[in-house]
Amino acid sequence: METKILSTKEIKKAAELIKNGEVVAFPTETVYGLGANALNPEAVKKIFKAKGRPSDNPLIVHISNLNQLKKIAFVNKKAKNLIKNLWPGPLTIILKKKKIVPKEVTANLESVAVRMPKNKIALKLIELSGVPIAAPSANISGKPSGTCFEDVLEDFNGKISAIIKSKHCDFGIESSVVDLTEKNPVLLRPGALSFEKLKKFLPNLVLHKGKTIAAKSPGMKYKHYSPKAKIILFEGLAKNKIREYKRKLEKSEKKVKIIKPANSKEFSKKMFMLFRKCDKKNIDYILIPSIEEKGIGLAIMNRIRKASTKIIKK
Ligand code: TXA
Ligand code: MG
């Protein structure tokens, strides 16, 4: 298949492809998405095929207005308050789904994940398509999320109908996923919108930890965000210990890179790109010291942990 590269002035062409049941990669403020008509099961299946994504991992449905939301989900009070304050933005809400949403999107769950992105190109694409767009992050399943055009092209050239070529994604890290289907709200995936900010609107919000997460959010059990290089996370260790570890690996002919994260949007913006760059340089090991799990640091640490093959603690 030929993958068309569309400019941000050609969103109409991209929308036509979505209407025709094709898959188009598009920018959002978090990461690039791999989108298709959420109400067309055959189109949705193409997303899973292109990504190599297990079919039991549900997709987020992206909308551009609240009428679309009413059509696909039952909106409760808590959701209304969040939406009023935090949409459009990097927040995904899990709600009870309506029948119109195909089981392919939700992996047979009775709930649906919904997000109204802030990125203007994403919003325009949804608007012109006239349908909600189901979209996971644009990366081959298991790899670091695609956060710039080049990385999306690398994964999907020849596999999807088109890619909208835009700037590097603003946050570079996925949306925060909040489950509002139970009595108490749960943050299933920390993301670009901080836990602290969410707490302001959901005082009872808790961060989901532990094993039951796999049942609640099926995607959590899979390998995630991993470059070919092995990532080793050092939690609470002194810098000289990490350098020592590096020297040891280098003695056995391994190519090693230390990535120092910062608790900032500048770092989250480039993190997945840095992981992918290491693969281009044939790095064997990436060593990363931990940062404080506050603000965007919570999401950064969550992604690094999931990408790690080993965690070394004090
Ligand atoms: O920022 C983002 O959220 C990006 C952009 C493209 O919007 N999308 C994204 O999608 O990160 P994806 O598929 O890579 O991650 C979606 C996560 C997965 O962990 C999935 O299991 C979870 O959301 N999820 C989707 N639907 C769910 C549901 N009904 N219940 C619980 N978890 C759900
Ligand atoms: Mg993903």
Side-chain angles (χ1 to χ4, degrees):
M1 169 189 302
E2 188 215 342
T3 302
K4 288 195 187 79
I5 315 287
L6 300 176
S7 79
T8 52
K9 297 208 171 73
E10 296 175 294
I11 305 178
K12 217 170 158 190
K13 282 188 192 162
E16 285 304 318
L17 290 168
I18 296 277
K19 280 187 197 167
N20 290 333
E22 298 300 327
V23 176
V24 175
F26 63 98
T28 84
E29 71 275 26
T30 57
V31 300
Y32 271 76
L34 202 59
N37 178 354
L39 305 179
N40 175 345
E42 292 313 311
V44 170
K45 280 186 200 160
K46 290 181 188 169
I47 299 178
F48 284 89
K49 184 157 180 250
K51 261 194 89 134
R53 180 171 175 116
S55 59
D56 67 349
N57 192 0
L59 307 179
I60 296 173
V61 178
H62 298 71
I63 57 169
S64 60
N65 65 65
L66 295 179
N67 281 334
Q68 288 175 322
L69 176 65
K70 277 188 231 147
K71 282 188 191 142
I72 60 174
F74 294 94
V75 188
N76 56 36
K77 233 182 179 176
K78 283 197 193 89
K80 278 184 191 151
N81 188 37
L82 277 195
I83 289 166
K84 198 171 87 195
N85 289 287
L86 300 169
W87 270 8
L91 167 68
T92 296
I93 300 174
I94 313 278
L95 295 168
K96 203 163 166 286
K97 85 171 189 88
K98 288 195 175 164
K99 274 213 184 85
I100 192 173
V101 185
K103 62 180 188 331
E104 284 78 6
V105 172
T106 62
N108 284 317
L109 294 176
E110 283 309 308
S111 59
V112 61
V114 196
R115 173 162 112 81
M116 190 188 286
K118 196 168 193 163
N119 179 292
K120 293 222 166 66
I121 296 148
L123 283 172
K124 187 99 202 192
L125 177 66
I126 305 166
E127 203 183 296
L128 292 176
S129 304
V131 289
I133 295 183
S137 53
N139 51 275
I140 298 297
S141 209
K143 279 182 59 164
S145 305
T147 56
C148 64
F149 165 73
E150 290 75 16
D151 289 348
V152 177
L153 185 68
E154 179 185 274
D155 279 12
F156 293 107
N157 197 9
K159 293 184 184 152
I160 59 174
S161 291
I163 304 174
I164 300 180
K165 184 176 182 180
S166 182
K167 286 185 291 202
H168 191 286
C169 299
D170 203 25
F171 287 99
I173 209 157
E174 301 81 355
S175 63
S176 307
V177 179
V178 176
D179 182 10
L180 293 179
T181 61
E182 308 278 345
K183 196 161 153 253
N184 287 318
V186 182
L187 180 60
L188 294 178
R189 178 178 73 181
L193 194 68
S194 76
F195 183 64
E196 294 85 349
K197 182 135 192 215
L198 281 164
K199 267 262 195 201
K200 280 191 191 153
F201 302 100
L202 290 170
N204 296 332
L205 183 70
V206 290
L207 175 60
H208 203 298
K209 283 184 179 155
K211 287 185 183 137
T212 50
I213 191 84
K216 198 68 224 182
S217 197
M220 306 292 177
K221 68 176 182 270
Y222 292 108
K223 189 171 137 77
H224 264 326
Y225 320 114
S226 307
K228 280 187 218 112
K230 290 195 167 70
I231 293 183
I232 304 181
L233 170 65
F234 293 79
E235 290 207 48
L237 278 182
K239 281 192 193 106
N240 60 347
K241 288 274 181 216
I242 301 172
R243 282 197 292 267
E244 215 174 86
Y245 204 93
K246 181 170 187 267
R247 279 194 292 274
K248 246 198 252 164
L249 285 170
E250 282 168 344
K251 265 190 195 149
S252 50
E253 307 290 305
K254 299 291 182 201
K255 271 183 98 172
V256 187
K257 168 134 184 86
I258 296 178
I259 291 181
K260 288 196 192 115
N263 194 341
S264 68
K265 196 168 149 189
E266 288 88 78
F267 180 77
S268 73
K269 190 167 180 164
K270 63 185 183 190
M271 180 170 72
F272 287 134
M273 246 169 44
L274 285 174
F275 288 0
R276 283 174 177 258
K277 266 192 192 143
C278 287
D279 282 350
K280 290 192 190 85
K281 290 184 182 159
N282 293 316
I283 302 285
D284 298 297
Y285 287 91
I286 305 172
L287 311 184
I288 310 183
S290 58
I291 54 167
E292 200 184 4
E293 294 177 68
K294 266 195 183 154
I296 196 140
L298 181 68
I300 291 173
M301 282 296 291
N302 170 276
R303 304 304 187 271
I304 297 173
R305 272 206 192 95
K306 284 182 190 283
S308 310
T309 47
K310 195 171 177 181
I311 298 175
I312 296 178
K313 289 188 180 165
K314 212 192 291 189

